[in-house]
Amino acid sequence: MSDQPTIESRHRRLLAYLQHNASQLLVDAAVLLSLVIGASIAFDWLALPSWLYYLVLFVGIVVYSAVTPNWERPYESPD
């Protein structure tokens, strides 16, 4: 049995999840937004093909998701 509390309400589970992972959520959003903006500026400036832009974005997102930790649930779900 886990030492995490069991939260019955789905609304409270969502709030607990978001509060627990808020800093990681902000870091993820900032990194991915920076990737998109940086790649857009670089590809516009260098006049590279759009298919390569999408490939760079896809690979960047996959690599970032592979190296970052997973978000955690701070509760036990009754479901």
Side-chain angles (χ1 to χ4, degrees):
M1 191 92 184
S2 176
D3 60 344
Q4 295 178 332
T6 300
I7 300 177
E8 296 290 332
S9 168
R10 288 179 189 242
H11 180 260
R12 288 188 181 173
R13 285 195 307 250
L14 176 61
L15 289 177
Y17 185 78
L18 291 175
Q19 287 172 349
H20 184 73
N21 294 297
S23 61
Q24 187 63 39
L25 176 65
L26 291 175
V27 169
D28 290 349
V31 168
L32 295 176
L33 184 62
S34 298
L35 173 66
V36 170
I37 291 172
S40 296
I41 291 170
F43 275 75
D44 283 345
W45 185 59
L46 297 172
L48 295 171
S50 60
W51 65 266
L52 186 58
Y53 168 75
Y54 293 112
L55 181 64
V56 166
L57 285 184
F58 178 75
V59 170
I61 291 169
V62 168
V63 168
Y64 180 74
S65 66
V67 299
T68 56
N70 293 333
W71 293 0
E72 301 172 351
R73 283 197 307 186
Y75 58 84
E76 287 292 321
S77 178
D79 297 340

